[in-house]
Amino acid sequence: MRANRIRQLWAAGQPVLNGWLSFACPFTAEVMAAQGYDSLTIDMQHGMVDFMTSLGMMQAMSASGVVPMARVAWLDPVEIMRILDAGAYGIICPMIETREDAERLVSYVRYPPSGVRSFGPSRAVFSAGADYGERADEEVLCFAMIETRKGFDNMEEIASTPGLDGLYIGPADLALALTGRTYRTGFDRTEPELIDAILKIREAAHAAGIHAALHCGSASYAAQATRWKFDLLTVSNDVRLLAAAARASVEEFRKSAKI
């Protein structure tokens, strides 16, 4: 089985740069995969992506060597097992709130006796390797998202779940859960109480011997998060990157043409 580069980078003490795919488009995935990311995550929760399109997106990524992952829509064994069979090397699951949730998540990602995943890696046995069944549990990653008040309160118990590889922080939902509408919505939190919460989640992950991941809105904030010792940083997504580049182009034209 092809080794998971994320695990290799972590073993070398290096952080992982993760990209995010919300467009339901294999060509967009192929373009993003050629830009130097370590991994790319298909967003099946808030992105415009269904299963068949995600399959084509992973096929389009395969030439680059980037690690394909998926943020599933919910804690659903059918969706998790199916996207793994299609070749995803990592699962990020939203709204994990308890140790029981985390145990269920791990069980859907791992084969028996560690879990209950059904065997049938239809594409993965070709895209990852003929020995996929023997090595998948060693290579495939499992992240629990911490983004609700209940999940935050239970983060130490969640982090201690056997078979879990990391806690993934969703700062936009976390801010809403912890502070309501006190502050703006979105990523790249600067409020002291939210930075404190983010760092507590990182500490809980590292204390349990697993990894900490943070969703960021900008490269500069992600760079700061490497100094906070986060292990995986997601920077923006394809939609926001396209919008920002298009806006900059329009503004440059209007400024240069004085229109």
Side-chain angles (χ1 to χ4, degrees):
M1 181 178 175
R2 175 169 48 84
N4 190 330
R5 176 165 165 73
I6 294 175
R7 291 193 182 278
Q8 293 176 328
L9 287 168
W10 284 342
Q14 297 295 313
V16 172
L17 175 60
N18 179 57
W20 203 256
L21 302 175
S22 295
F23 284 126
C25 179
F27 182 47
T28 302
E30 185 176 33
V31 171
M32 288 284 283
Q35 304 314 310
Y37 293 98
D38 300 313
S39 59
L40 283 174
T41 298
I42 299 170
D43 187 359
M44 302 179 76
Q45 183 189 23
H46 293 302
M48 307 295 108
V49 191
D50 61 18
F51 172 77
M52 284 305 298
T53 307
S54 69
L55 171 60
M57 291 167 72
M58 286 190 287
Q59 290 172 319
M61 290 184 226
S62 61
S64 70
V66 69
V67 179
M69 300 202 294
R71 197 256 295 267
V72 294
W74 209 251
L75 182 56
D76 177 358
V78 175
E79 183 172 297
I80 290 170
M81 294 184 200
R82 199 174 187 207
I83 199 67
L84 287 174
D85 288 345
Y89 260 65
I91 295 294
I92 300 171
C93 187
M95 300 294 182
I96 299 299
E97 296 191 311
T98 65
R99 169 68 178 258
E100 182 184 6
D101 286 347
E103 289 173 346
R104 288 169 56 206
L105 170 61
V106 170
S107 76
Y108 303 155
V109 172
R110 310 298 180 200
Y111 288 121
S114 301
V116 298
R117 181 182 172 190
S118 176
F119 187 76
S122 302
R123 176 175 178 265
V125 74
F126 299 104
S127 62
D131 59 345
Y132 181 88
E134 288 71 38
R135 294 187 51 203
D137 285 355
E138 303 168 16
E139 300 293 347
V140 171
L141 292 164
C142 182
F143 288 95
M145 289 194 75
I146 304 297
E147 52 188 345
T148 68
R149 164 62 74 178
K150 190 172 181 180
F152 181 78
D153 291 342
N154 292 323
M155 60 184 164
E156 289 90 356
E157 291 184 5
I158 292 169
S160 67
T161 305
L164 192 68
D165 293 296
L167 302 182
Y168 190 105
I169 301 172
D173 278 323
L174 185 68
L176 288 170
L178 299 185
T179 65
R181 293 287 183 175
T182 303
Y183 305 116
R184 65 171 178 85
T185 56
F187 310 119
D188 295 4
R189 310 311 311 191
T190 58
E191 304 84 1
E193 64 187 294
L194 291 176
I195 291 175
D196 181 64
I198 286 168
L199 295 180
K200 283 180 179 177
I201 298 171
R202 179 213 61 192
E203 291 168 8
H206 288 172
I210 62 175
H211 300 279
L214 179 63
H215 203 105
C216 305
S218 67
S220 60
Y221 194 91
Q224 172 62 50
T226 65
R227 294 187 281 275
W228 291 338
K229 304 301 182 183
F230 275 89
D231 306 298
L232 182 145
L233 298 313
T234 296
V235 178
S236 194
N237 67 13
D238 51 3
V239 173
R240 291 175 181 269
L241 290 169
L242 174 62
R247 186 183 308 112
S249 178
V250 169
E251 289 175 354
E252 181 182 358
F253 166 76
R254 295 195 183 284
K255 180 179 179 180
S256 298
K258 296 181 172 37
I259 295 175

